[in-house]
Amino acid sequence: MGPLLAYLRATGHDPSPLVERFGFPANAAFLPELSLPLATLHAFLDAAETLSGDAFLGLHVAQRVPRGTYGLVEYIARASPTVRDTFRALARYMALLEPAWLASFHDAADGSGTFAYGIPGEPLAYGRHASEYGLALFVHVGRQLTERPWRPRAIVFAHPAPADLRPLVEHFGVTPEFGGGRNALTLDAATLELPVVGADPVLLSVLERAAGAPPAATPPASPPAPDFVQRVREVIRAALREGTPQVGDVAKGLHVSLRTLQRRLTEHGTSFQDEVDTVRRELAFQYLKDAHLGVSQVAFLLGYSELSTFDRAFKRWTGMTPRVWREGGEGG
């Protein structure tokens, strides 16, 4: 968020109306990332493109990001010995920047490797400008780290192709592919083995200790639900404030009969209890990422009268207790 707002100012565009319009915090200009609902982020980036008149906003912001913007995770990447190690570190620690990201690095038999990231259940990820920003930034900084003008073997974006590909081809040195459902960067073996200029193994060890264990990954989000099921979930979310949602109350909230509610859910291959479970599961991960909420408070917000009931449900979803999941552990 900060780099984009800084870019708008540097190019003569006052971003204040956008910050106010979308209700961002006063310090938004100093935050590299800002967690927003996807619909809000997409609308903001579209508005930023309109304000700037820049059809390649994400690409151009990436080319101007100052060193140190991404703090600990960035410096771990910069202290790593080779490009391969840098991308392995990014895959390991990216969730410290934004828990919704699911990142990976896979080595191929020929020595090449692919770094990829996306959002489970969201085939467009954060949208065109954010995706072009991300991959452009990784390549731009990677060239700085090696002081070599390397180019990737392949680039794949989550979003559909824009009408004009020339600026992207000029930056990456290859023609990207589009509509992949995630963002991916494939590098050949020679590029991955390039040494990072200024790598510091002692500093890397200190930084990795400071970062601690990577946060436990959030299980994949539920696939998009039909409109009626989405409406059911919205009423369930509201009902959780009063405790365990009751099917009759949800039917009244939707202005349908109890029988109609159950029939329509069955038609969509689900049930009322399944939907209560889905809503609780998704909110649990959201609430547990808030360090200001204790596990007991999370249980209360989810409508559980007993913490032990929440513990059992969460262990059924993930195989671990809420406390262990929050601490980044691997079992409970």
Side-chain angles (χ1 to χ4, degrees):
M1 186 61 63
L4 189 149
L5 296 176
Y7 175 81
L8 291 175
R9 287 196 183 91
T11 52
H13 304 284
D14 180 11
S16 300
L18 290 184
V19 172
E20 182 176 351
R21 171 182 165 189
F22 288 93
F24 294 158
N27 65 337
F30 304 99
L31 301 175
E33 298 294 336
L34 183 63
S35 295
L36 299 170
L38 282 179
T40 302
L41 179 60
H42 291 167
F44 168 72
L45 291 174
D46 288 344
E49 177 185 345
T50 300
L51 174 65
S52 65
D54 187 347
F56 288 89
L57 183 64
L59 170 64
H60 294 147
V61 173
Q63 294 169 338
R64 300 175 62 151
V65 173
R67 180 187 178 101
T69 295
Y70 290 95
L72 181 60
V73 175
E74 177 184 337
Y75 285 113
I76 287 174
R78 288 183 177 276
S80 298
T82 67
V83 173
R84 189 185 303 274
D85 295 310
T86 290
F87 280 103
R88 284 175 174 166
L90 287 171
R92 181 175 172 83
Y93 292 108
M94 266 183 70
L96 293 175
L97 295 173
E98 174 48 67
W101 280 331
L102 187 62
S104 64
F105 181 82
H106 294 293
D107 292 290
D110 64 357
S112 65
T114 297
F115 172 77
Y117 68 100
I119 306 173
E122 297 291 345
L124 295 180
Y126 282 129
R128 179 193 160 194
H129 290 304
S131 293
E132 291 179 3
Y133 169 82
L135 289 186
L137 179 64
F138 292 134
V139 171
H140 178 65
V141 173
R143 289 167 177 164
Q144 291 180 335
L145 295 181
T146 58
E147 297 181 357
R148 298 282 295 276
W150 56 262
R151 65 180 183 178
R153 176 186 291 184
I155 292 284
V156 179
F157 285 111
H159 57 279
D164 181 10
L165 299 183
R166 286 173 299 173
L168 296 174
V169 174
E170 289 174 3
H171 179 80
F172 292 110
V174 296
T175 300
E177 298 177 29
F178 296 87
R182 62 175 186 165
N183 300 306
L185 170 68
T186 299
L187 306 180
D188 60 30
T191 301
L192 288 169
E193 296 311 315
L194 287 173
V196 173
V197 177
D200 188 331
V202 175
L203 176 60
L204 177 62
S205 177
V206 172
L207 294 173
E208 288 185 324
R209 285 200 300 273
T218 300
S222 303
D227 289 344
F228 180 75
V229 177
Q230 290 284 20
R231 289 167 52 207
V232 171
R233 291 178 184 176
E234 289 170 5
V235 177
I236 289 172
R237 287 189 190 96
L240 286 172
R241 302 166 190 162
E242 307 299 327
T244 301
Q246 302 299 313
V247 63
D249 294 334
V250 172
K252 289 178 183 177
L254 292 167
H255 306 290
V256 299
S257 68
L258 175 59
R259 185 173 180 179
T260 297
L261 171 62
Q262 293 173 325
R263 174 179 57 79
R264 294 193 64 181
L265 288 175
T266 300
E267 290 172 353
H268 289 300
T270 186
S271 68
F272 177 74
Q273 192 52 54
D274 286 342
E275 293 311 311
V276 171
D277 208 47
T278 295
V279 172
R280 280 174 158 167
R281 175 181 177 275
E282 292 181 354
L283 288 176
F285 298 130
Q286 177 183 324
Y287 292 150
L288 286 169
K289 291 170 188 172
D290 186 344
H292 297 95
L293 291 175
V295 174
S296 296
Q297 290 174 286
V298 173
F300 175 79
L301 291 171
L302 297 175
Y304 291 105
S305 58
E306 300 288 341
L307 177 58
S308 59
T309 309
F310 174 42
D311 281 346
R312 287 195 298 272
F314 198 87
K315 197 164 186 178
R316 172 165 51 83
W317 299 330
T318 66
M320 62 186 77
T321 66
R323 289 183 179 84
V324 171
W325 184 88
R326 172 179 261 177
E327 293 165 1
E330 308 214 347

